[in-house]
Amino acid sequence: MDIARQTINTIWADDRGVSGKGIGIAVVDTGVYPHNDLVKKKNKIVGFKDFVGKKEFPYDDNGHGTHVAGIICGDGYESNGKYKGVAVESNIIGVKVLNKKGSGNISDVLAGIQWILDNKKRFNIRIVNLSVGMKDIEGEKSALVRGVNAAWDSGLIVVTAAGNNGPEEGTITTPGISRKVITVGSSDDAETVKIMEDLISDYSGRGPTKECIKKPDVVAPGSNIIACSTDKAYSPKDKYYPTKDIGYTKKSGTSMATPMVSGCIALLLSKYPELTGKDIKLKLKESTIDLGFSQAHQGWGLIDVKKLLE
């Protein structure tokens, strides 16, 4: 996170006190563990809903969702600020739809999106982070695409992963193929990384979609990202959180690039709360650095916080 934050220029926001304050980000994932970076100084996990184990309080028996949450708003408590997230004063609403193996049912993802719609005012949810995806089989007719489109149309900013099935063209995963949402690829996927036990490179999903929509929209760092780890064995008994240090872990994929962009959008919304999804897309388009990759690989380019907030 220390290097990734430099890459996307978050220091510019830090120096000006822009920190995503009060912006709610729903993390639709494997859950979120109450890591010290997320709860010690201030509890940033303001809401939690579990569609898998039906537990009341936050936990994560896989680790993926906690890593994502750390990228968004971890404050670096356990690393003296070294591995802090992008928007440290934003809030996380954990929506657990994936099991301990990281897989799940489309029906649970859709139920999660509906729950977010029902609770968006309560938690000031402005952004939905979906670091999940499946192979594009049904195109834009798929239930998952219709679900994220409904969330977008209701005023939520949906940020989703391009998937790790590159480098061939047409490898964006569902729901990242949606023409409405913001789809994020990895800017550093030339590095050889471990994803799901396989060593791969050039993994970031490439556009266009079957409907010839240009995707991804933007790219951000996604390779070898060090962020919050989890205690997979932890089961929440009550609202009191464990205090032991769990430390950090390294993960790679467009799943890690996606929360970088969610964090950047939280910074933008904390400064200009009236912006709509359309406004943000137009702003993102002007706020990137061209890496010299093809459009099908990088979209508009690498997100740059300074350009975004200026």
Side-chain angles (χ1 to χ4, degrees), residues 212-263:
C212 292
I213 309 301
K214 287 181 171 179
K215 287 282 175 178
D217 297 296
V218 291
V219 290
S223 297
N224 298 319
I225 305 296
I226 295 172
C228 295
S229 190
T230 193
D231 177 357
K232 291 182 190 177
Y234 168 75
S235 181
K237 303 284 185 288
D238 53 35
K239 63 182 183 295
Y240 298 106
Y241 291 148
T243 52
K244 63 180 176 182
D245 285 7
I246 289 296
Y248 302 89
T249 189
K250 184 165 74 175
K251 289 185 188 293
S252 299
T254 56
S255 281
M256 282 58 253
T258 304
M260 299 268 178
V261 173
S262 293

Side-chain angles (χ1 to χ4, degrees), residues 20-161:
K21 194 172 176 110
I23 301 295
I25 303 169
V27 173
V28 182
D29 216 295
T30 60
V32 55
Y33 172 76
H35 190 286
N36 283 331
D37 285 23
L38 299 171
V39 300
K40 190 80 173 188
K41 283 186 198 161
K42 176 177 173 280
N43 185 10
K44 295 174 219 184
I45 309 170
V46 297
F48 184 73
K49 179 70 178 173
D50 179 10
F51 288 91
V52 180
K54 308 287 188 277
K55 293 189 164 88
E56 191 181 348
F57 298 108
Y59 73 104
D60 183 0
D61 49 10
N62 173 281
H64 191 275
T66 306
H67 198 266
V68 165
I71 291 168
I72 292 171
C73 72
D75 59 19
Y77 179 87
E78 288 188 20
S79 57
N80 294 320
K82 184 175 182 182
Y83 299 129
K84 67 178 184 177
V86 176
V88 292
E89 287 196 283
S90 60
N91 293 319
I92 294 292
I93 297 87
V95 183
K96 183 169 170 65
V97 298
L98 303 177
N99 62 22
K100 63 184 175 192
K101 290 183 179 155
S103 54
N105 300 315
I106 292 171
S107 57
D108 284 338
V109 180
L110 294 172
I113 292 170
Q114 184 58 54
W115 182 87
I116 292 164
L117 287 168
D118 295 341
N119 289 277
K120 65 178 183 176
K121 283 199 172 63
R122 182 178 163 202
F123 299 116
N124 193 32
I125 301 172
R126 297 294 310 273
I127 301 164
V128 180
N129 187 98
L130 276 156
S131 288
V132 298
M134 52 181 275
K135 210 169 172 181
D136 172 19
I137 297 160
E138 299 174 89
E140 292 189 273
K141 296 191 295 288
S142 85
L144 217 45
V145 171
R146 296 206 309 272
V148 296
N149 286 350
W152 183 274
D153 291 342
S154 81
L156 291 164
I157 315 299
V158 183
V159 188
T160 184

Side-chain angles (χ1 to χ4, degrees), residues 173-248:
T173 51
T174 299
I177 58 163
S178 158
R179 63 186 71 207
K180 293 186 175 180
V181 305
I182 294 161
T183 307
V184 184
S186 280
S187 57
D188 50 4
D189 73 333
E191 284 186 46
T192 301
V193 298
K194 196 173 178 184
I195 298 176
M196 302 287 286
E197 305 307 311
D198 291 327
L199 283 171
I200 56 175
S201 63
D202 299 321
Y203 57 82
S204 191
R206 313 288 205 261
T209 70
K210 284 179 187 153
E211 278 86 359
C212 292
I213 309 301
K214 287 181 171 179
K215 287 282 175 178
D217 297 296
V218 291
V219 290
S223 297
N224 298 319
I225 305 296
I226 295 172
C228 295
S229 190
T230 193
D231 177 357
K232 291 182 190 177
Y234 168 75
S235 181
K237 303 284 185 288
D238 53 35
K239 63 182 183 295
Y240 298 106
Y241 291 148
T243 52
K244 63 180 176 182
D245 285 7
I246 289 296
Y248 302 89

